[in-house]
């Protein structure tokens, strides 16, 4: 089957839905009709799975009516109607029904696909407390003897230990449990996840109580996180009996602890809630966390009890199907203002705590830092200021040096001095040009003879002289050299080996990407955490074009070197870094996600607060810059990452320390990534 790059199923996503139909008590024909209507809508939207509430064909609040043959026969007729309608649906449907099996009545989930019943799962835990009387009508599926039953003329699999795997989507294996099953200390879905289920489904009929919806959200979220799975929860709503209870029709879809979608509660109409789940992400997280495999081994007895039912869905991948999922343009920076402020506060304090600990254990009370007037050194200096406050040391113990070279602009030099004044540190300017000239003379470099040759040697002499000064100043004053280079630069190898942004005694920025540093600087300016003096200099620094300033600029004062012209826009490269480093996705999937994030929506903030970026990147630009990233990351830059200074890890997006998240050979090639990159089209 040919795959379309623009189809979400091509990239191991799957569209799922939870349904909350309005029901009628003891009217299976009506309930089946509502089920079919919603299922057809879900199928039209390209869903692979749709789940309906517990006992949805009869209604949950039938009480002793469940023992009336007329009702149970009507449920079978309703089930037959759904079965007939499902022939043309390229998806699995899970409906709730009371079923008679070997003289006992079970509260069941019936899995239907391709016009056939694929299996029946009985409820394991039957609540008999408070307002619940399940054990009055039903038997527990855990004690059922039958493993197969006759249902509507078919011999079908039966039992609580069933898994359902879509043959043409091997990462899509799901398990069904019912209501109370997820409320117990060890839900059946926990063992199902260890047995390979990536999607967990819960058919529920949980009544509405004050505060209960929030608790259910937490329950579903935490179960999806513990199991590293997607969890679909759907609950009974309108039409259920109000004799003693009320019903809200809550529907929740979570993925590994993250809420993807939530249904509107207390509606008067039937409704569907969709989400696109990332099956590959779940698989890779389980593969990365080796303790998941250890849990499989520890519980091998329970895991071994599961049986898998295979069936195809033949979901079309030939036509485009856009991803209906929010993909943040800035994965390191939350788009929500409150979450963004919380993130900045936490990252800042992680950096502060780590540096304070290093100074305390080393016995040193001074730090030495080079201040360029650019973003990275600005944020590192702000961290140092807060550390001195925390340790109750004067900020004059920060020995800050701005060291203009051959290409330092008037703007950045002024910003460096203004920043040091704002912080209140010890500030000094050291002109490195005389020592650089001496080095260039020693090398017989043409620039020393007056020729305008601005090569790598010319650049690195300046970077080296700055670092040499900083380390010797630290020796002289008894201080610690603070590194300023960030995660983005380290990923792209945009640093000079052994000097410059590569080397220090301790680097507070090493696992903070450039896009996040921009927001950190703004957050510091707005929050006043280092003092509420005039912070305009911080805003000026945010508006300065990113440049190493190692090559003289143009006559009008513009920098000759524009970092992003060489290595690509940081907002794209940070996106690439996150999905390559954190999840190991193929280039085609990274490009698909990037295209989804950037194609037509203006989301995220970069770099100035409430201003929404106006940048739009088409697929050609995404592919080009991803190619730059892949080659630099895998082939040319690892040797620099193999010997980086100590630094705190600040987020799950990873660090590139060889002692932490990333161990890789310096001699690797980028061939396999670039080859896969070629499969990406250049236009939609």
């Amino acid at each position: 089957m040919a795959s379309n790059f623009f189809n979400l199923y091509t990239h191991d996503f799957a569209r799922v839905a939870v349904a909350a139909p309005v029901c009628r008590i003891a009217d299976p024909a009506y309930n089946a009709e509502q089920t079919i209507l919603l299922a057809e809508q879900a199928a039209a939207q390209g869903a692979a799975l749709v789940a309906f509430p517990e006992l949805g064909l009869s209604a949950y609040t039938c009480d002793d009516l469940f023992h009336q043959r007329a009702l149970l026969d009507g449920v079978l007729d309703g089930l037959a109607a759904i079965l007939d309608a499902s022939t043309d649906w390229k998806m699995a449907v899970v409906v709730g029904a009371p079923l008679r099996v070997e003289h006992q009545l079970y509260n069941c989930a019936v899995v239907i696909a391709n016009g056939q019943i694929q299996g029946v799962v009985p409820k394991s835990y039957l609540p008999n407390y408070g307002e619940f009387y399940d054990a009055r009508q039903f038997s527990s599926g855990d004690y059922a003897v039958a493993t197969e039953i006759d249902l509507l003329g078919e011999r079908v699999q039966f039992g609580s230990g069933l898994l359902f795997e879509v043959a043409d989507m091997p990462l899509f294996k799901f398990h069904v449990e019912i209501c109370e099953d997820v409320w117990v200390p060890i839900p059946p879905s926990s063992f199902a996840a260890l047995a390979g289920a990536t999607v967990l489904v819960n058919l529920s009929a949980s009544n509405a109580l004050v505060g209960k919806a929030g608790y259910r959200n937490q329950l579903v979220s935490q179960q999806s996180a513990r199991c590293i799975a997607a969890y679909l929860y759907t609950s009974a709503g309108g039409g259920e009996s109000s004799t003693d209870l009320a019903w809200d029709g809550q529907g929740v879809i979570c993925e590994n602890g993250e809420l993807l979608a939530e249904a509107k509660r207390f509606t008067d109409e039937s409704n569907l809630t969709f989400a696109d789940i990332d099956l590959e992400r779940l698989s890779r997280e389980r593969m990365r966390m080796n303790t998941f495999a250890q849990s499989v081994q520890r519980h091998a007895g329970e895991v071994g009890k599961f049986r898998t039912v295979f069936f195809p869905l033949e979901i079309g991948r030939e036509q485009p199907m856009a991803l209906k999922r929010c993909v943040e343009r800035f994965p390191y920076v939350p788009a929500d203002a409150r979450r963004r402020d919380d993130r900045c506060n936490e990252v800042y304090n992680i950096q502060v705590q780590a540096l304070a600990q290093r100074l305390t254990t080393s016995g040193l009370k001074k730090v030495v830092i080079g201040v360029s007037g650019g973003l990275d050194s600005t944020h590192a200096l702000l961290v140092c200021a807060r550390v001195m406050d925390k340790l109750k040391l004067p900020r004059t113990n920060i020995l800050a040096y701005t060291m203009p070279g051959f290409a330092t602009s008037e703007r950045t030099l002024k910003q460096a001095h203004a920043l040091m004044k704002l912080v209140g540190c010890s500030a000094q300017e050291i002109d490195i040009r005389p020592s650089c000239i001496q080095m260039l003379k020693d090398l017989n470099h043409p620039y020393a003879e007056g020729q305008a040759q601005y090569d790598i040697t010319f650049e690195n002499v300046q970077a080296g002289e700055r670092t040499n000064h900083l380390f010797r100043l630290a020796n002289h004053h008894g201080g610690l050299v603070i590194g300023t280079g960030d995660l983005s630069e380290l990923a792209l190898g945009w640093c000079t080996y052994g000097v410059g942004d590569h080397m220090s005694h301790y680097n507070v920025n090493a696992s903070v990407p450039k896009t996040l540093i921009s927001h950190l600087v703004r957050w510091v300016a707005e929050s006043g955490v280092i003092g509420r003096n005039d912070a305009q200099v911080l805003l000026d620094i945010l508006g300065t074009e990113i440049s190493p300033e190692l090559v003289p600029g143009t006559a009008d004062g513009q920098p000759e070197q524009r970092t992003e012209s060489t290595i690509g826009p940081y907002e794209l490269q940070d996106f690439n870094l996150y999905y390559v480093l954190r999840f190991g996705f193929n280039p085609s999937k990274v490009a698909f996600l990037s295209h989804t994030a950037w194609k037509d929506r203006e989301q995220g903030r970069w770099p100035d607060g409430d201003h929404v970026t106006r940048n739009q990147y088409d697929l050609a630009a995404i592919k080009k810059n991803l190619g730059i990233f892949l080659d630099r990351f895998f082939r040319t830059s690892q040797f620099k990452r193999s010997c980086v200074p100590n630094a705190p890890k600040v987020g799950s997006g990873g660090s590139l320390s060889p002692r932490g998240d990333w161990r890789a050979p310096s001699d690797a090639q980028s061939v396999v990534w670039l080859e896969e990159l070629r499969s990406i089209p250049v236009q939609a």
Side-chain angles (χ1 to χ4, degrees), residues 128-398:
N128 228 47
Y129 58 86
E131 60 265 41
F132 302 108
Y133 291 91
D134 286 37
R136 178 181 174 93
Q137 286 92 26
F138 299 104
S139 297
S140 169
D142 281 350
Y143 305 107
V145 175
T147 58
E148 292 183 346
I149 61 173
D150 292 312
L151 185 59
L152 298 179
E154 299 181 44
R155 191 68 176 169
V156 300
Q157 295 290 312
F158 177 80
S160 56
L162 292 182
L163 301 179
F164 301 89
E165 182 172 328
V166 181
D168 44 343
M169 297 173 61
L171 295 181
F172 195 166
K173 181 182 286 189
F174 66 93
H175 170 266
V176 185
E177 60 190 5
I178 301 175
C179 200
E180 186 76 8
D181 291 348
V182 77
W183 292 72
V184 299
I186 306 178
S189 57
S190 296
F191 295 121
L194 296 179
T198 52
V199 180
L200 311 174
V201 181
N202 188 301
L203 311 189
S204 181
S206 184
N207 60 300
L209 292 174
V210 173
K212 193 174 184 180
Y215 187 84
R216 284 189 297 235
N217 270 17
Q218 293 178 27
L219 197 66
V220 171
S221 174
Q222 286 302 308
Q223 183 66 356
S224 76
R226 281 190 298 269
C227 294
I228 314 180
Y231 200 103
L232 283 60
Y233 176 92
T234 180
S235 189
E240 291 286 358
S241 175
S242 61
T243 300
D244 290 300
L245 305 171
W247 308 87
D248 60 357
Q250 185 173 9
V252 178
I253 303 175
C254 289
E255 177 186 293
N256 197 22
E258 178 184 354
L259 177 65
L260 296 185
E262 185 172 11
K264 185 178 180 180
R265 300 166 60 212
F266 301 109
T267 62
D268 296 326
E269 298 179 349
S270 301
N271 64 82
L272 281 168
T273 302
F274 292 92
D276 293 345
I277 57 176
D278 191 341
L279 299 169
E280 183 186 8
R281 178 183 180 184
L282 297 171
S283 176
R284 291 193 167 276
E285 284 293 271
R286 291 180 177 185
M287 182 172 61
R288 185 178 70 90
M289 294 180 64
N290 63 316
T291 49
F292 188 89
Q294 291 174 23
S295 295
V296 175
Q297 296 163 5
R298 176 181 287 269
H299 300 288
E302 291 292 334
V303 170
K305 296 177 182 178
F306 284 90
R307 295 168 284 149
T308 301
V309 178
F310 297 88
F311 57 89
L313 286 182
E314 298 182 358
I315 294 175
R317 293 178 172 85
E318 304 90 347
Q319 300 301 317
M321 185 181 294
L323 189 64
K324 292 183 178 179
R325 174 178 171 129
C326 179
V327 180
E328 298 281 1
R329 290 178 172 178
F330 310 109
Y332 294 101
V333 186
D336 177 74
R338 188 174 69 175
R339 289 182 58 229
R340 187 171 61 253
D341 287 347
D342 289 343
R343 176 74 55 84
C344 288
N345 181 61
E346 189 168 21
V347 169
Y348 185 64
N349 279 287
I350 289 172
Q351 294 176 281
V352 168
Q353 190 279 334
L355 180 55
Q357 174 70 13
R358 180 51 55 95
L359 287 174
T360 300
T361 55
S362 68
L364 299 175
K365 299 184 183 300
K366 295 180 180 179
V367 295
V368 174
I369 185 171
V371 179
S372 68
L375 270 176
D376 293 343
S377 63
T378 293
H379 181 59
L381 181 58
L382 296 174
V383 170
C384 292
R386 186 68 187 92
V387 168
M388 292 302 161
D389 296 345
K390 179 182 178 71
L391 297 179
K392 295 181 171 50
L393 295 171
R395 291 186 182 179
T396 51
N397 280 22
I398 305 171

Side-chain angles (χ1 to χ4, degrees), residues 576 622-632 674 677:
N576 296 333
I622 289 169
K623 182 176 181 179
K624 172 188 173 184
N625 287 291
L626 180 54
I628 293 171
F629 175 85
L630 293 171
D631 195 46
R632 294 186 71 100
L674 295 178
L677 182 75

